[in-house]
Amino acid sequence: MLGMALAAIDGTIVSTAVPQIVGDLGGFAVFSWLFSGYLLAVTVTLPVYGKLSDTFGRKPVLIAGIILFLVGSLLCALAWNMGALIAFRIVQGLGGGALQGTVQTIAADLYPLKERPRIQAKLSTVWATSAVAGPVVGGLLAGYADWRWIFLINLPVGAIALWLVVRHLHEPARPRPKTRPRIDWAGALAVFATGTLLLTALVQGGVAWPWLSAPSLGLFAASAALAALTVVIERRAAEPIIPGWVWRRRTIASVNLALGAMGLLMVAPTVFLPTYAQSVLGLGPIAAGFVLSVMTLSWPVSAALSDRVYNRIGFRLTAIIGMSAALLVLLAFPLLPYPGEPWQPALIMLLLGAALGLFQLPLIVGVQSTVGWAERGTTTASVLFCRQVGQSVGAAVFGAVANGVLAARLLDAPAPGLPGDLDAVAHTLEDPGALSAAATDHLRRAVDAAVDHVYIGAAGAAALALLALVVLAPRRFPVITEPEDRRP
Protein backbone atom coordinates (compact mmCIF):
# COMPACT_ATOMS: atom_id res chain seq x y z
CA MET A 1 0.00 0.00 0.00
CA LEU A 2 2.91 2.37 0.64
CA GLY A 3 4.35 1.57 -2.77
CA MET A 4 0.96 2.17 -4.36
CA ALA A 5 0.66 5.47 -2.45
CA LEU A 6 3.75 6.81 -4.22
CA ALA A 7 2.06 6.48 -7.60
CA ALA A 8 -1.45 7.36 -6.38
CA ILE A 9 -0.69 10.69 -4.76
CA ASP A 10 1.73 11.86 -7.45
CA GLY A 11 -0.72 13.44 -9.88
CA THR A 12 -2.94 15.21 -7.36
CA ILE A 13 -0.13 16.60 -5.21
CA VAL A 14 1.76 18.07 -8.18
CA SER A 15 -1.27 19.70 -9.84
CA THR A 16 -1.84 22.17 -6.99
CA ALA A 17 1.75 23.46 -7.16
CA VAL A 18 1.82 24.27 -10.89
CA PRO A 19 1.59 28.08 -10.37
CA GLN A 20 4.57 28.04 -7.99
CA ILE A 21 6.57 25.73 -10.25
CA VAL A 22 5.94 27.88 -13.32
CA GLY A 23 6.70 31.05 -11.36
CA ASP A 24 10.06 29.61 -10.27
CA LEU A 25 11.19 27.72 -13.39
CA GLY A 26 9.20 29.37 -16.19
CA GLY A 27 8.08 27.24 -19.13
CA PHE A 28 4.35 27.98 -18.97
CA ALA A 29 3.90 26.90 -22.61
CA VAL A 30 5.05 23.33 -21.89
CA PHE A 31 4.06 22.77 -18.25
CA SER A 32 1.29 20.33 -19.28
CA TRP A 33 4.08 17.87 -20.07
CA LEU A 34 4.67 17.55 -16.33
CA PHE A 35 1.58 15.35 -16.41
CA SER A 36 1.62 14.10 -20.00
CA GLY A 37 5.24 12.93 -19.79
CA TYR A 38 4.58 11.04 -16.57
CA LEU A 39 1.41 9.45 -18.00
CA LEU A 40 3.24 8.40 -21.16
CA ALA A 41 6.03 6.73 -19.21
CA VAL A 42 3.64 4.87 -16.90
CA THR A 43 1.39 3.65 -19.71
CA VAL A 44 3.97 2.41 -22.20
CA THR A 45 6.02 0.56 -19.57
CA LEU A 46 3.10 -1.39 -18.05
CA PRO A 47 3.28 -4.31 -20.54
CA VAL A 48 7.07 -4.47 -20.21
CA TYR A 49 7.01 -4.68 -16.41
CA GLY A 50 4.18 -7.21 -16.53
CA LYS A 51 6.24 -9.58 -18.68
CA LEU A 52 9.39 -9.02 -16.58
CA SER A 53 7.49 -9.86 -13.38
CA ASP A 54 6.27 -13.12 -14.93
CA THR A 55 9.82 -13.96 -15.99
CA PHE A 56 11.93 -12.92 -13.00
CA GLY A 57 9.38 -12.57 -10.17
CA ARG A 58 7.43 -9.68 -8.68
CA LYS A 59 9.85 -8.67 -5.94
CA PRO A 60 12.82 -7.57 -8.09
CA VAL A 61 10.53 -5.63 -10.44
CA LEU A 62 8.78 -3.88 -7.54
CA ILE A 63 12.09 -3.02 -5.88
CA ALA A 64 13.46 -1.64 -9.15
CA GLY A 65 10.29 0.41 -9.63
CA ILE A 66 10.45 1.96 -6.17
CA ILE A 67 14.14 2.82 -6.57
CA LEU A 68 13.56 4.36 -10.00
CA PHE A 69 10.60 6.38 -8.71
CA LEU A 70 12.65 7.70 -5.78
CA VAL A 71 15.58 8.60 -8.04
CA GLY A 72 13.16 10.48 -10.29
CA SER A 73 11.65 12.25 -7.26
CA LEU A 74 15.07 13.38 -6.03
CA LEU A 75 16.01 14.62 -9.50
CA CYS A 76 12.68 16.50 -9.78
CA ALA A 77 13.45 18.29 -6.51
CA LEU A 78 16.83 19.34 -7.95
CA ALA A 79 15.48 20.47 -11.35
CA TRP A 80 16.89 23.79 -12.58
CA ASN A 81 14.41 24.52 -15.39
CA MET A 82 11.13 23.23 -16.81
CA GLY A 83 12.82 21.01 -19.41
CA ALA A 84 14.84 19.22 -16.72
CA LEU A 85 11.75 18.82 -14.52
CA ILE A 86 9.77 17.27 -17.38
CA ALA A 87 12.63 14.85 -18.15
CA PHE A 88 12.86 13.81 -14.49
CA ARG A 89 9.07 13.38 -14.32
CA ILE A 90 9.44 10.86 -17.13
CA VAL A 91 12.02 9.03 -14.99
CA GLN A 92 9.44 9.01 -12.19
CA GLY A 93 6.89 7.57 -14.63
CA LEU A 94 9.25 4.76 -15.58
CA GLY A 95 9.19 3.72 -11.93
CA GLY A 96 5.47 4.40 -11.57
CA GLY A 97 4.67 1.86 -14.30
CA ALA A 98 6.34 -0.86 -12.23
CA LEU A 99 4.49 0.21 -9.08
CA GLN A 100 0.98 0.23 -10.54
CA GLY A 101 1.08 -3.10 -12.34
CA THR A 102 3.22 -5.11 -9.93
CA VAL A 103 1.34 -4.14 -6.77
CA GLN A 104 -1.94 -5.32 -8.31
CA THR A 105 -0.29 -8.58 -9.36
CA ILE A 106 1.22 -9.20 -5.92
CA ALA A 107 -2.20 -8.68 -4.33
CA ALA A 108 -3.53 -11.56 -6.46
CA ASP A 109 -0.47 -13.69 -5.61
CA LEU A 110 -0.74 -13.18 -1.86
CA TYR A 111 -4.44 -13.73 -1.29
CA PRO A 112 -6.82 -16.52 -2.36
CA LEU A 113 -9.90 -15.64 -4.37
CA LYS A 114 -12.24 -15.25 -1.38
CA GLU A 115 -9.90 -12.71 0.30
CA ARG A 116 -8.98 -10.59 -2.75
CA PRO A 117 -11.90 -8.16 -2.49
CA ARG A 118 -10.72 -7.20 0.98
CA ILE A 119 -7.15 -6.40 -0.06
CA GLN A 120 -8.25 -4.77 -3.34
CA ALA A 121 -10.61 -2.55 -1.35
CA LYS A 122 -7.69 -1.53 0.85
CA LEU A 123 -5.67 -0.67 -2.25
CA SER A 124 -8.66 1.37 -3.46
CA THR A 125 -8.61 3.35 -0.22
CA VAL A 126 -5.05 4.38 -1.09
CA TRP A 127 -6.33 6.04 -4.27
CA ALA A 128 -9.32 7.52 -2.42
CA THR A 129 -7.13 8.98 0.33
CA SER A 130 -4.69 10.33 -2.25
CA ALA A 131 -7.48 12.05 -4.18
CA VAL A 132 -8.49 13.97 -1.06
CA ALA A 133 -5.12 14.44 0.67
CA GLY A 134 -3.01 15.15 -2.42
CA PRO A 135 -4.37 18.62 -3.26
CA VAL A 136 -4.35 19.64 0.42
CA VAL A 137 -0.77 18.49 1.07
CA GLY A 138 0.44 19.92 -2.25
CA GLY A 139 -1.17 23.27 -1.56
CA LEU A 140 0.29 23.47 1.95
CA LEU A 141 3.81 22.55 0.80
CA ALA A 142 3.72 24.92 -2.16
CA GLY A 143 2.24 27.77 -0.14
CA TYR A 144 4.17 27.52 3.13
CA ALA A 145 7.38 25.67 2.26
CA ASP A 146 8.68 25.14 -1.28
CA TRP A 147 7.29 23.18 -4.24
CA ARG A 148 10.42 20.98 -4.23
CA TRP A 149 9.19 19.36 -1.00
CA ILE A 150 6.34 17.86 -3.03
CA PHE A 151 8.93 15.52 -4.53
CA LEU A 152 11.18 15.21 -1.51
CA ILE A 153 8.29 13.91 0.61
CA ASN A 154 8.32 10.77 -1.54
CA LEU A 155 11.77 9.80 -0.24
CA PRO A 156 10.90 8.76 3.35
CA VAL A 157 7.65 7.09 2.26
CA GLY A 158 9.44 5.20 -0.50
CA ALA A 159 12.32 4.24 1.79
CA ILE A 160 9.91 2.64 4.27
CA ALA A 161 8.07 0.85 1.46
CA LEU A 162 11.38 -0.41 0.05
CA TRP A 163 12.55 -1.68 3.46
CA LEU A 164 9.26 -3.49 4.09
CA VAL A 165 9.26 -5.14 0.66
CA VAL A 166 12.89 -6.27 0.90
CA ARG A 167 12.44 -7.61 4.42
CA HIS A 168 8.96 -9.12 4.40
CA LEU A 169 7.93 -10.11 0.86
CA HIS A 170 9.05 -13.68 0.25
CA GLU A 171 8.07 -15.32 -3.00
CA PRO A 172 7.96 -19.13 -3.07
CA ALA A 173 10.62 -20.98 -5.03
CA ARG A 174 9.49 -21.66 -8.58
CA PRO A 175 10.76 -24.46 -10.80
CA ARG A 176 13.75 -23.27 -12.78
CA PRO A 177 13.01 -23.05 -16.50
CA LYS A 178 14.80 -25.58 -18.66
CA THR A 179 16.13 -22.80 -20.88
CA ARG A 180 17.45 -19.42 -19.85
CA PRO A 181 14.70 -16.76 -20.05
CA ARG A 182 15.14 -14.46 -23.01
CA ILE A 183 13.98 -10.86 -22.78
CA ASP A 184 12.24 -9.55 -25.87
CA TRP A 185 14.13 -6.27 -26.01
CA ALA A 186 13.06 -5.58 -29.60
CA GLY A 187 9.41 -6.07 -28.66
CA ALA A 188 9.79 -3.91 -25.55
CA LEU A 189 11.33 -1.10 -27.61
CA ALA A 190 8.61 -1.42 -30.27
CA VAL A 191 5.81 -1.32 -27.67
CA PHE A 192 7.45 1.66 -25.98
CA ALA A 193 7.88 3.59 -29.25
CA THR A 194 4.35 2.80 -30.50
CA GLY A 195 2.73 3.82 -27.23
CA THR A 196 4.80 7.00 -26.98
CA LEU A 197 3.86 8.22 -30.46
CA LEU A 198 0.18 7.30 -30.11
CA LEU A 199 -0.24 8.88 -26.69
CA THR A 200 1.68 11.99 -27.75
CA ALA A 201 -0.70 12.38 -30.69
CA LEU A 202 -3.72 11.96 -28.39
CA VAL A 203 -2.46 14.20 -25.60
CA GLN A 204 -1.17 17.05 -27.78
CA GLY A 205 -3.73 16.89 -30.60
CA GLY A 206 -6.08 19.85 -30.47
CA VAL A 207 -3.83 21.49 -27.86
CA ALA A 208 -0.35 22.04 -29.26
CA TRP A 209 -1.54 21.71 -32.86
CA PRO A 210 -4.87 21.18 -34.72
CA TRP A 211 -6.13 17.61 -35.17
CA LEU A 212 -5.83 17.70 -38.97
CA SER A 213 -2.40 19.35 -38.98
CA ALA A 214 0.80 17.75 -40.28
CA PRO A 215 2.23 16.93 -36.79
CA SER A 216 -0.99 15.21 -35.71
CA LEU A 217 -1.45 13.20 -38.89
CA GLY A 218 2.25 12.33 -38.97
CA LEU A 219 2.21 11.00 -35.41
CA PHE A 220 -0.88 8.89 -36.02
CA ALA A 221 0.59 7.49 -39.24
CA ALA A 222 3.92 6.71 -37.57
CA SER A 223 2.19 5.04 -34.60
CA ALA A 224 0.10 2.90 -36.98
CA ALA A 225 3.22 1.82 -38.85
CA LEU A 226 5.02 1.02 -35.60
CA ALA A 227 1.99 -0.92 -34.35
CA ALA A 228 2.15 -3.12 -37.45
CA LEU A 229 5.88 -3.60 -36.90
CA THR A 230 5.25 -4.49 -33.24
CA VAL A 231 2.80 -7.23 -34.26
CA VAL A 232 5.40 -8.71 -36.62
CA ILE A 233 8.13 -8.60 -33.95
CA GLU A 234 5.90 -10.10 -31.24
CA ARG A 235 4.78 -12.97 -33.50
CA ARG A 236 8.40 -13.96 -34.10
CA ALA A 237 9.61 -13.51 -30.51
CA ALA A 238 10.16 -16.57 -28.32
CA GLU A 239 8.96 -14.70 -25.21
CA PRO A 240 6.90 -11.73 -26.50
CA ILE A 241 6.18 -8.74 -24.27
CA ILE A 242 2.53 -8.78 -25.36
CA PRO A 243 1.77 -12.41 -26.22
CA GLY A 244 -1.04 -13.22 -28.60
CA TRP A 245 -3.01 -15.18 -25.99
CA VAL A 246 -3.87 -11.88 -24.27
CA TRP A 247 -6.31 -11.20 -27.12
CA ARG A 248 -7.14 -14.78 -28.15
CA ARG A 249 -8.69 -15.67 -24.78
CA ARG A 250 -12.24 -14.37 -24.60
CA THR A 251 -12.14 -13.57 -20.89
CA ILE A 252 -8.99 -11.43 -21.03
CA ALA A 253 -9.93 -9.73 -24.31
CA SER A 254 -13.41 -8.80 -23.05
CA VAL A 255 -12.05 -7.43 -19.75
CA ASN A 256 -9.39 -5.43 -21.61
CA LEU A 257 -12.01 -3.84 -23.85
CA ALA A 258 -14.46 -3.23 -20.98
CA LEU A 259 -11.86 -1.55 -18.77
CA GLY A 260 -10.58 0.42 -21.76
CA ALA A 261 -14.12 1.77 -22.16
CA MET A 262 -14.20 2.52 -18.42
CA GLY A 263 -11.00 4.54 -18.80
CA LEU A 264 -12.76 6.44 -21.58
CA LEU A 265 -15.79 7.35 -19.45
CA MET A 266 -13.68 8.26 -16.39
CA VAL A 267 -12.50 11.37 -18.23
CA ALA A 268 -15.93 12.96 -17.77
CA PRO A 269 -15.84 13.19 -13.95
CA THR A 270 -12.09 13.51 -13.40
CA VAL A 271 -11.33 16.13 -16.10
CA PHE A 272 -14.57 18.00 -16.75
CA LEU A 273 -16.47 17.93 -13.45
CA PRO A 274 -14.04 20.32 -11.65
CA THR A 275 -14.43 22.79 -14.52
CA TYR A 276 -18.21 22.44 -14.30
CA ALA A 277 -18.17 22.96 -10.53
CA GLN A 278 -16.08 26.12 -10.78
CA SER A 279 -17.48 27.67 -13.96
CA VAL A 280 -21.18 26.75 -13.67
CA LEU A 281 -21.72 26.38 -9.91
CA GLY A 282 -19.23 29.11 -8.99
CA LEU A 283 -17.32 27.00 -6.46
CA GLY A 284 -13.69 27.52 -5.50
CA PRO A 285 -10.99 24.97 -6.46
CA ILE A 286 -11.07 23.18 -3.10
CA ALA A 287 -14.86 22.90 -3.00
CA ALA A 288 -14.86 21.71 -6.62
CA GLY A 289 -12.34 19.05 -5.67
CA PHE A 290 -14.59 17.79 -2.89
CA VAL A 291 -17.53 17.47 -5.30
CA LEU A 292 -15.38 15.04 -7.28
CA SER A 293 -13.82 13.32 -4.27
CA VAL A 294 -17.13 11.93 -2.97
CA MET A 295 -16.82 9.34 -5.75
CA THR A 296 -13.71 8.01 -4.02
CA LEU A 297 -15.73 7.46 -0.83
CA SER A 298 -18.33 5.11 -2.31
CA TRP A 299 -15.99 3.30 -4.72
CA PRO A 300 -13.91 1.36 -2.10
CA VAL A 301 -17.02 0.48 -0.06
CA SER A 302 -18.81 -0.87 -3.13
CA ALA A 303 -15.67 -2.76 -4.21
CA ALA A 304 -15.24 -4.32 -0.76
CA LEU A 305 -18.83 -5.58 -0.79
CA SER A 306 -18.79 -6.78 -4.40
CA ASP A 307 -17.67 -10.31 -3.46
CA ARG A 308 -21.07 -10.88 -1.82
CA VAL A 309 -22.56 -10.32 -5.25
CA TYR A 310 -20.13 -12.06 -7.61
CA ASN A 311 -19.83 -15.13 -5.37
CA ARG A 312 -23.55 -15.66 -5.98
CA ILE A 313 -24.10 -14.56 -9.57
CA GLY A 314 -20.59 -14.53 -11.10
CA PHE A 315 -18.02 -11.94 -12.17
CA ARG A 316 -19.60 -11.13 -15.55
CA LEU A 317 -23.14 -10.51 -14.35
CA THR A 318 -21.92 -8.43 -11.37
CA ALA A 319 -19.88 -6.22 -13.70
CA ILE A 320 -22.85 -5.88 -16.07
CA ILE A 321 -25.06 -4.71 -13.18
CA GLY A 322 -22.40 -2.20 -12.07
CA MET A 323 -21.90 -0.72 -15.53
CA SER A 324 -25.66 -0.63 -16.22
CA ALA A 325 -26.06 1.45 -13.07
CA ALA A 326 -23.16 3.69 -14.14
CA LEU A 327 -24.85 4.19 -17.54
CA LEU A 328 -28.04 5.41 -15.88
CA VAL A 329 -26.11 7.71 -13.52
CA LEU A 330 -24.16 9.27 -16.41
CA LEU A 331 -27.39 9.86 -18.35
CA ALA A 332 -28.85 11.57 -15.27
CA PHE A 333 -26.14 14.25 -15.21
CA PRO A 334 -27.48 16.26 -18.22
CA LEU A 335 -30.88 16.34 -16.46
CA LEU A 336 -29.50 18.41 -13.56
CA PRO A 337 -31.06 21.91 -13.38
CA TYR A 338 -29.10 25.01 -14.31
CA PRO A 339 -27.23 26.26 -12.37
CA GLY A 340 -28.25 23.81 -9.64
CA GLU A 341 -26.82 23.13 -6.20
CA PRO A 342 -23.43 21.53 -5.41
CA TRP A 343 -25.06 18.55 -3.67
CA GLN A 344 -26.66 17.46 -6.93
CA PRO A 345 -23.49 16.63 -8.92
CA ALA A 346 -21.96 15.35 -5.64
CA LEU A 347 -24.81 12.84 -5.34
CA ILE A 348 -24.27 11.83 -8.97
CA MET A 349 -20.58 11.18 -8.23
CA LEU A 350 -21.41 9.21 -5.08
CA LEU A 351 -23.68 6.91 -7.08
CA LEU A 352 -21.17 6.66 -9.93
CA GLY A 353 -18.40 5.59 -7.55
CA ALA A 354 -20.63 2.86 -6.10
CA ALA A 355 -21.53 1.60 -9.58
CA LEU A 356 -17.94 1.56 -10.86
CA GLY A 357 -16.68 -0.19 -7.71
CA LEU A 358 -19.17 -2.96 -8.48
CA PHE A 359 -17.89 -3.05 -12.07
CA GLN A 360 -14.10 -2.78 -11.92
CA LEU A 361 -13.10 -4.98 -8.98
CA PRO A 362 -14.99 -8.14 -10.06
CA LEU A 363 -13.38 -7.89 -13.50
CA ILE A 364 -9.84 -7.45 -12.16
CA VAL A 365 -10.21 -10.19 -9.54
CA GLY A 366 -11.95 -12.42 -12.07
CA VAL A 367 -9.42 -12.08 -14.87
CA GLN A 368 -6.48 -12.55 -12.48
CA SER A 369 -8.13 -15.76 -11.26
CA THR A 370 -8.24 -17.25 -14.76
CA VAL A 371 -4.45 -17.43 -15.14
CA GLY A 372 -1.61 -19.01 -13.19
CA TRP A 373 1.36 -17.27 -11.58
CA ALA A 374 3.46 -17.30 -14.76
CA GLU A 375 0.82 -15.33 -16.73
CA ARG A 376 -0.69 -13.11 -14.04
CA GLY A 377 1.74 -10.20 -14.40
CA THR A 378 1.21 -9.97 -18.17
CA THR A 379 -2.57 -10.26 -17.76
CA THR A 380 -2.77 -7.58 -15.07
CA ALA A 381 -0.53 -5.25 -17.06
CA SER A 382 -2.64 -5.66 -20.20
CA VAL A 383 -5.79 -4.71 -18.26
CA LEU A 384 -4.18 -1.61 -16.73
CA PHE A 385 -2.59 -0.67 -20.06
CA CYS A 386 -5.98 -0.72 -21.82
CA ARG A 387 -7.52 1.38 -19.06
CA GLN A 388 -4.74 3.98 -19.34
CA VAL A 389 -5.01 4.11 -23.14
CA GLY A 390 -8.78 4.52 -22.76
CA GLN A 391 -8.22 7.55 -20.53
CA SER A 392 -5.88 9.12 -23.09
CA VAL A 393 -8.33 8.50 -25.93
CA GLY A 394 -11.17 9.87 -23.78
CA ALA A 395 -9.27 13.05 -22.97
CA ALA A 396 -8.70 13.68 -26.68
CA VAL A 397 -12.21 12.76 -27.88
CA PHE A 398 -14.18 14.47 -25.13
CA GLY A 399 -11.93 17.53 -25.25
CA ALA A 400 -12.82 17.90 -28.93
CA VAL A 401 -16.53 17.35 -28.16
CA ALA A 402 -16.56 19.94 -25.36
CA ASN A 403 -14.75 22.59 -27.40
CA GLY A 404 -16.98 21.90 -30.42
CA VAL A 405 -20.17 22.38 -28.39
CA LEU A 406 -18.71 25.45 -26.74
CA ALA A 407 -17.79 27.04 -30.07
CA ALA A 408 -21.30 26.38 -31.44
CA ARG A 409 -22.94 27.95 -28.37
CA LEU A 410 -20.75 31.04 -28.57
CA LEU A 411 -21.72 31.88 -32.15
CA ASP A 412 -24.63 33.99 -30.87
CA ALA A 413 -22.84 35.37 -27.79
CA PRO A 414 -24.09 38.74 -26.49
CA ALA A 415 -20.54 40.13 -26.39
CA PRO A 416 -17.80 39.88 -29.05
CA GLY A 417 -14.35 38.44 -28.41
CA LEU A 418 -15.34 35.73 -25.91
CA PRO A 419 -12.86 32.84 -25.51
CA GLY A 420 -13.49 29.80 -27.68
CA ASP A 421 -12.12 26.83 -25.71
CA LEU A 422 -13.03 25.36 -22.34
CA ASP A 423 -9.81 26.22 -20.50
CA ALA A 424 -9.88 29.85 -21.63
CA VAL A 425 -13.56 30.16 -20.65
CA ALA A 426 -12.81 28.77 -17.18
CA HIS A 427 -10.03 31.34 -16.68
CA THR A 428 -12.26 34.16 -17.89
CA LEU A 429 -15.04 33.23 -15.47
CA GLU A 430 -12.58 33.35 -12.57
CA ASP A 431 -12.63 37.17 -12.95
CA PRO A 432 -16.30 38.10 -12.49
CA GLY A 433 -15.73 41.77 -13.28
CA ALA A 434 -14.26 41.12 -16.72
CA LEU A 435 -17.62 40.48 -18.43
CA SER A 436 -21.15 41.81 -18.33
CA ALA A 437 -23.82 39.83 -16.49
CA ALA A 438 -25.36 38.67 -19.78
CA ALA A 439 -22.01 37.54 -21.21
CA THR A 440 -21.12 35.72 -17.98
CA ASP A 441 -24.45 33.88 -17.93
CA HIS A 442 -24.04 32.95 -21.60
CA LEU A 443 -20.59 31.52 -20.93
CA ARG A 444 -21.83 29.55 -17.93
CA ARG A 445 -24.66 28.06 -19.97
CA ALA A 446 -22.23 27.19 -22.76
CA VAL A 447 -19.96 25.35 -20.31
CA ASP A 448 -23.00 23.57 -18.86
CA ALA A 449 -24.02 22.39 -22.33
CA ALA A 450 -20.46 21.28 -23.19
CA VAL A 451 -20.11 19.19 -20.02
CA ASP A 452 -23.58 17.70 -20.55
CA HIS A 453 -22.49 16.47 -23.99
CA VAL A 454 -19.31 14.99 -22.46
CA TYR A 455 -21.41 13.01 -19.98
CA ILE A 456 -23.62 11.77 -22.81
CA GLY A 457 -20.44 10.63 -24.55
CA ALA A 458 -19.33 8.94 -21.32
CA ALA A 459 -22.66 7.10 -21.26
CA GLY A 460 -21.84 5.90 -24.77
CA ALA A 461 -18.51 4.55 -23.45
CA ALA A 462 -20.43 2.74 -20.70
CA ALA A 463 -22.61 1.16 -23.40
CA LEU A 464 -19.43 -0.02 -25.18
CA ALA A 465 -18.22 -1.65 -21.94
CA LEU A 466 -21.55 -3.44 -21.59
CA LEU A 467 -21.37 -4.58 -25.21
CA ALA A 468 -17.89 -6.05 -24.68
CA LEU A 469 -19.10 -8.03 -21.65
CA VAL A 470 -22.38 -9.21 -23.19
CA VAL A 471 -20.91 -10.25 -26.54
CA LEU A 472 -17.37 -11.43 -25.69
CA ALA A 473 -17.15 -12.44 -22.03
CA PRO A 474 -18.05 -16.04 -21.11
CA ARG A 475 -20.97 -16.50 -18.73
CA ARG A 476 -18.64 -18.06 -16.16
CA PHE A 477 -14.97 -17.09 -15.89
CA PRO A 478 -12.69 -20.19 -16.05
CA VAL A 479 -11.20 -19.76 -12.56
CA ILE A 480 -7.94 -21.56 -11.70
CA THR A 481 -7.36 -22.50 -8.07
CA GLU A 482 -3.71 -22.41 -7.02
CA PRO A 483 -2.50 -24.68 -4.20
CA GLU A 484 -1.97 -22.78 -0.94
CA ASP A 485 1.68 -23.84 -0.72
CA ARG A 486 2.41 -21.98 -3.96
CA ARG A 487 1.48 -18.63 -2.40
CA PRO A 488 4.06 -16.18 -1.02
Side-chain angles (χ1 to χ4, degrees), residues 96-189:
L99 292 173
Q100 288 196 29
T102 312
V103 168
Q104 294 280 3
T105 306
I106 289 175
D109 289 342
L110 286 173
Y111 295 89
L113 179 58
K114 64 181 180 180
E115 295 183 25
R116 284 179 199 165
R118 177 171 59 86
I119 189 62
Q120 289 285 0
K122 289 183 178 180
L123 291 176
S124 296
T125 63
V126 174
W127 291 94
T129 304
S130 300
V132 177
V136 176
V137 175
L140 289 174
L141 290 175
Y144 296 99
D146 188 275
W147 63 264
R148 298 178 190 273
W149 282 101
I150 286 174
F151 300 103
L152 291 174
I153 200 174
N154 291 331
L155 301 183
V157 177
I160 296 172
L162 187 61
W163 179 77
L164 290 171
V165 168
V166 170
R167 184 177 176 86
H168 296 290
L169 177 60
H170 305 290
E171 296 187 276
R174 304 281 169 179
R176 288 184 175 272
K178 296 181 181 179
T179 59
R180 183 179 179 183
R182 288 184 291 178
I183 302 176
D184 179 22
W185 292 114
L189 181 62

Side-chain angles (χ1 to χ4, degrees), residues 27 34 68 70 81 85 89 119 256 259 293 330 360 408 424 474:
L34 289 176
L68 196 55
L70 295 182
N81 58 34
L85 183 58
R89 283 281 289 166
I119 189 62
N256 282 345
L259 285 179
S293 67
L330 290 166
Q360 178 180 259

Side-chain angles (χ1 to χ4, degrees), residues 63-99:
I63 290 173
I66 293 174
I67 292 174
L68 196 55
F69 190 92
L70 295 182
V71 169
S73 298
L74 180 60
L75 291 174
C76 286
L78 300 175
W80 54 90
N81 58 34
M82 185 61 75
L85 183 58
I86 290 171
F88 298 148
R89 283 281 289 166
I90 292 174
V91 174
Q92 257 192 324
L94 296 177
L99 292 173

Side-chain angles (χ1 to χ4, degrees), residues 413-424:
L418 292 179
D421 67 86
L422 203 59
D423 290 336

Side-chain angles (χ1 to χ4, degrees), residues 31 99 167 227 234 249 383 421 444 464:
F31 84 88
L99 292 173
R167 184 177 176 86
E234 294 297 84
R249 298 180 191 177
V383 168
D421 67 86
R444 292 189 189 280
L464 291 177

Side-chain angles (χ1 to χ4, degrees), residues 161-477:
L162 187 61
W163 179 77
L164 290 171
V165 168
V166 170
R167 184 177 176 86
H168 296 290
L169 177 60
H170 305 290
E171 296 187 276
R174 304 281 169 179
R176 288 184 175 272
K178 296 181 181 179
T179 59
R180 183 179 179 183
R182 288 184 291 178
I183 302 176
D184 179 22
W185 292 114
L189 181 62
V191 169
F192 191 90
T194 304
T196 300
L197 289 182
L198 176 60
L199 292 175
T200 301
L202 291 171
V203 169
Q204 295 298 105
V207 179
W209 48 71
W211 283 110
L212 297 179
S213 64
S216 204
L217 296 176
L219 284 171
F220 278 120
S223 60
L226 278 175
L229 178 62
T230 302
V231 172
V232 173
I233 293 173
E234 294 297 84
R235 283 184 173 179
R236 295 181 178 180
E239 296 287 341
I241 293 294
I242 304 181
W245 54 260
V246 168
W247 294 104
R248 287 195 296 268
R249 298 180 191 177
R250 287 178 58 196
T251 305
I252 302 175
S254 62
V255 171
N256 282 345
L257 292 174
L259 285 179
M262 191 198 82
L264 195 70
L265 74 85
M266 282 299 296
V267 172
T270 56
V271 176
F272 291 93
L273 184 64
T275 300
Y276 171 88
Q278 293 181 67
S279 299
V280 178
L281 302 180
L283 301 179
I286 295 177
F290 278 115
V291 170
L292 172 61
S293 67
V294 295
M295 181 174 67
T296 64
L297 301 178
S298 57
W299 192 316
V301 175
S302 173
L305 298 176
S306 65
D307 64 318
R308 302 186 183 186
V309 182
Y310 69 66
N311 283 330
R312 294 187 177 186
I313 64 176
F315 296 112
R316 173 178 175 268
L317 188 54
T318 302
I320 287 175
I321 291 173
M323 188 50 76
S324 299
L327 173 60
L328 295 176
V329 171
L330 290 166
L331 288 175
F333 187 92
L335 302 178
L336 295 178
Y338 172 86
E341 299 292 333
W343 67 265
Q344 294 167 335
L347 178 61
I348 293 285
M349 291 304 100
L350 192 71
L351 296 174
L352 183 61
L356 293 179
L358 198 63
F359 168 78
Q360 178 180 259
L361 184 66
L363 290 185
I364 292 179
V365 171
V367 78
Q368 288 178 330
S369 303
T370 65
V371 294
W373 186 95
E375 296 177 339
R376 191 171 291 137
T378 298
T379 301
T380 304
S382 72
V383 168
L384 298 178
F385 176 77
C386 289
R387 189 180 65 186
Q388 294 279 81
V389 171
Q391 288 180 333
S392 299
V393 173
V397 171
F398 293 145
V401 168
N403 287 326
V405 172
L406 197 66
R409 293 299 176 105
L410 294 179
L411 287 176
D412 56 346
L418 292 179
D421 67 86
L422 203 59
D423 290 336
V425 167
H427 287 304
T428 301
L429 289 173
E430 289 176 359
D431 183 8
L435 300 171
S436 66
T440 298
D441 183 68
H442 192 86
L443 276 182
R444 292 189 189 280
R445 290 182 180 277
V447 172
D448 180 60
V451 177
D452 284 349
H453 279 75
V454 167
Y455 270 80
I456 293 172
L464 291 177
L466 286 174
L467 184 65
L469 292 177
V470 171
V471 174
L472 289 178
R475 292 183 179 272
R476 291 285 175 182
F477 283 19

